[in-house]
Amino acid sequence: MRNRTQHFINGEWVDSTGSETIDVINPATEEVIGKISSGTEEDLDRAVAAAKAAFPSFSQTTVEERIELLEKIAQEYEKRKDDIIEVITAELGSPISKSDKVHYQMGLQHFRQAAEELKTFQFEEERGETLIRKESIGVSGLITPWNFPTNQTSTKLASAFAAGSTVVLKPASNTPFAAFLLAEIFEAAGLPKGVFNLVTGSGSTIGNGISSHPDIDFVSFTGSGEVGQKIMENAASGIKKVSLELGGKSPLVILDDADIKGAAKTAVANVAMNTGQVCTAATRTLVPKSIHDEFVEAVKEVIAAFPVGDPLDKKTAVGPLVDDNQWDTVQSYIKKGMDEGATLVAGGTGKPDGLEKGYFTKITVFTDVKNDMTIAQEEIFGPVMSIITYDDIDEAIKIANDTIYGLAGYVYGNDKETLQKVAKGIRAGQVQVNNPRTDFSAPFGGFKQSGIGREWGDYGIEEFLEPKAILGYNA
Ligand code: TAP
């Protein structure tokens, strides 16, 4: 049992002022694997005070000092590789191979990338007599979701430290333990006291408290649109800057010259990744009518290569959903798809055979989906693919953009001009052409209701900075 009922405040592990705790469950076994403190407003106040006290000196550290710190963090993170993989598999149910190659790696790369960015980042610029400086924004409140316990936290933390901002982190209550490892990593790396503070607890107390706290200057949130809206409302009363990474309903446009097997593999792999609990998941697959039937057959074949099962088994590609709520939500969307008249190609409601314990769900594929159906418009956060047909590229782009979201887009095919036309036509923060390598220096974030602001690389660092103009500086 992991009983992590202390918060990390001002460089020390401290008890909560309250006594309530929150159980953490392994979604593959449904067993309680530990508990965290359900923190109080007093706990949060203490953490914010520590971050505020640490800000004047940390914001004045040199770029070289912060590069060294980020590099040290990356080294300490690497030393905890096995622990990180183990914890993510236990709390999220992520297959062990993905906890390694995706979750562990993404967490690491953000620290490395931030160190790299600082080597060329321009904090000062002279324009005639005027000096323009980018200064740390101040105490930052970070609120993160459960779906990528290291990636979502590390991208924010790496950017904040690179910018010289101090933070209070509230991780998701479903998957909090990875954040405790980060606290230990920062301790080992020698992060000054008060720069990083970890307070666990409910969204309604700690999350809400962060977004309305008078001594927090900036809130960086990743999660649902509903909570994002509440955070904006709270932040508005204190004119606090917010950055929001919210949901998506991303399109994958398959061109008529695509290799069909490759396209099917790309589509299934994308929707199966992290059991579909990915904000950038390509949940709408746009296929030319001319290749639809062949594509559907290829999808049916490819699904067998994505076994759902025990996350500890190295052959497992897809683990369970994070909890019973998420399981119920996904089931109700699958039912809704059938009720609205979409044709089930694979999967369906219920648990996969032999997986009665754990929040396992089937990789589900619908075709004959119209873009105005609920399953094509709402974020499901489960491995559910909607196949929608199109006649020509202009129609494909129109369908791709017919959503309230704009987080990601994907295009797969051969003709370079068409690939580029589609990539430019999709209104989204990040578009991927033919399964490129992850680029940690590229900005990540959403158009429309997918969010405000950007993370990753230099764009991520910018979020934690305020431009300041000193006129007459060089007069
Ligand atoms: P949210 O409720 O948005 O939770 C995300 C984070 O916000 C968690 O740390 C949560 O704390 C906290 N929170 C909850 N209520 C809050 C409040 N009033 N003020 C401030 N913070 C608050 O997401 P969820 O419940 O985990 O998932 C619900 C749906 O959101 C999913 O089905 C999915 O559609 C979407 N989602 C999107 C993303 C991304 S990356 N875009 C990630 C996760 C979920 P607790 O954990 O303590 O509740």
Side-chain angles (χ1 to χ4, degrees):
M1 286 284 274
R2 298 171 169 83
N3 287 329
R4 304 294 314 242
T5 52
Q6 289 187 307
H7 306 300
F8 187 71
I9 298 175
N10 204 26
E12 280 167 22
W13 293 99
V14 298
D15 290 334
S16 170
T17 58
S19 55
E20 286 188 19
T21 56
I22 300 172
D23 283 344
V24 181
I25 287 166
N26 177 329
T29 62
E30 300 182 30
E31 279 160 13
V32 175
I33 54 167
K35 58 184 176 183
I36 53 168
S37 163
S38 181
T40 63
E41 283 174 18
E42 295 78 50
D43 297 337
L44 177 63
D45 283 344
R46 215 168 142 187
V48 174
K52 194 177 171 185
F55 181 72
S57 65
F58 189 61
S59 60
Q60 296 308 312
T61 49
T62 64
V63 171
E64 290 68 32
E65 284 168 333
R66 299 204 295 277
I67 291 172
E68 204 181 309
L69 185 64
L70 287 160
E71 286 173 347
K72 191 86 204 324
I73 289 172
Q75 284 161 16
E76 293 297 331
Y77 183 102
E78 284 177 304
K79 289 185 197 162
R80 303 299 299 271
K81 180 173 182 177
D82 292 345
D83 296 333
I84 292 169
I85 292 169
E86 191 267 336
V87 100
I88 290 173
T89 295
E91 66 183 8
L92 178 65
S94 162
I96 199 105
S97 58
K98 306 284 180 205
S99 298
D100 177 357
K101 297 207 164 55
V102 180
H103 293 275
Y104 165 78
Q105 278 301 333
M106 290 185 89
L108 175 62
Q109 294 312 328
H110 289 304
F111 292 111
R112 286 216 176 123
Q113 188 65 42
E116 275 313 298
E117 297 293 349
L118 281 189
K119 291 176 187 167
T120 53
F121 198 91
Q122 293 296 313
F123 282 91
E124 290 194 353
E125 178 198 344
E126 287 181 11
R127 291 190 195 169
E129 291 183 355
T130 301
L131 176 72
I132 299 170
R133 276 164 63 81
K134 291 179 180 168
E135 297 189 355
S136 315
I137 196 161
V139 176
S140 304
L142 317 179
I143 305 173
T144 54
W146 43 261
N147 61 337
F148 281 85
T150 45
N151 172 59
Q152 312 283 25
T153 45
S154 298
T155 181
K156 295 183 194 306
L157 292 163
S159 296
F161 298 159
S165 289
T166 58
V167 306
V168 175
L169 168 68
K170 188 214 104 56
S173 299
N174 276 339
T175 61
F177 293 129
F180 283 83
L181 291 182
L182 287 178
E184 290 169 9
I185 287 164
F186 299 152
E187 256 189 308
L191 190 70
K193 282 181 192 303
V195 172
F196 170 80
N197 301 277
L198 169 69
V199 180
T200 59
S202 70
S204 54
T205 301
I206 305 302
N208 200 49
I210 285 177
S211 58
S212 48
H213 203 290
D215 287 337
I216 288 184
D217 302 290
F218 169 49
V219 181
S220 176
F221 169 77
T222 301
S224 63
E226 205 185 329
V227 172
Q229 197 177 335
K230 275 190 205 152
I231 286 172
M232 268 186 102
E233 283 165 12
N234 278 349
S237 63
I239 320 288
K240 216 187 280 311
K241 179 181 163 180
V242 294
S243 160
L244 306 172
E245 296 295 338
L246 308 174
K249 197 71 201 173
S250 302
L252 161 60
V253 179
I254 291 166
L255 305 188
D256 60 5
D257 63 2
D259 160 52
I260 300 216
K261 192 146 186 219
K265 238 192 229 168
T266 297
V268 175
N270 190 309
V271 93
M273 174 61 208
N274 218 34
T275 324
Q277 303 166 124
V278 184
C279 46
T280 52
T283 45
R284 294 181 299 142
T285 308
L286 277 49
V287 182
K289 276 195 185 119
S290 56
I291 62 167
H292 169 267
D293 293 356
E294 222 184 317
F295 177 76
V296 168
E297 285 315 305
V299 163
K300 284 189 202 162
E301 265 177 48
V302 161
I303 279 185
F306 292 83
V308 182
D310 179 2
L312 293 171
D313 183 338
K314 283 195 177 136
K315 291 196 278 308
T316 294
V318 181
L321 292 164
V322 76
D323 63 13
D324 53 348
N325 276 337
Q326 199 61 27
W327 194 85
D328 289 343
T329 303
V330 171
Q331 301 309 306
S332 70
Y333 275 115
I334 296 174
K335 194 164 174 306
K336 186 92 180 165
M338 296 193 292
D339 291 347
E340 285 187 336
T343 306
L344 197 61
V345 168
T349 53
K351 294 189 177 182
D353 289 345
L355 292 170
E356 292 317 312
K357 196 136 187 102
Y359 309 117
F360 294 96
T361 193
K362 300 170 191 162
I363 299 177
T364 296
V365 180
F366 285 108
T367 191
D368 300 323
V369 177
K370 301 283 168 256
N371 199 51
D372 59 2
M373 287 181 182
T374 309
I375 54 166
Q377 286 297 317
E378 294 185 12
E379 184 174 51
I380 298 174
F381 239 53
V384 182
M385 186 200 301
S386 291
I387 300 174
I388 302 169
T389 54
Y390 70 85
D391 283 315
D392 59 46
I393 283 299
D394 290 330
E395 190 193 6
I397 295 172
K398 200 165 162 226
I399 298 170
N401 290 332
D402 183 12
T403 160
I404 59 167
Y405 296 112
L407 190 58
Y410 305 81
V411 55
Y412 187 90
N414 274 304
D415 181 63
K416 194 162 182 183
E417 217 173 288
T418 315
L419 287 168
Q420 291 179 341
K421 177 177 172 169
V422 174
K424 285 183 174 168
I426 294 175
R427 286 179 43 74
Q430 197 172 96
V431 179
Q432 300 191 9
V433 180
N434 287 341
N435 298 320
R437 276 206 319 260
T438 307
D439 181 354
F440 288 92
S441 75
F444 178 92
F447 283 28
K448 302 192 266 180
Q449 291 190 31
S450 287
I452 298 174
R454 293 293 179 270
E455 300 199 298
W456 298 31
D458 56 335
Y459 280 82
I461 297 170
E462 293 276 0
E463 292 291 334
F464 288 84
L465 294 167
E466 286 279 25
K468 169 171 160 185
I470 308 179
L471 278 62
Y473 185 81
N474 280 323

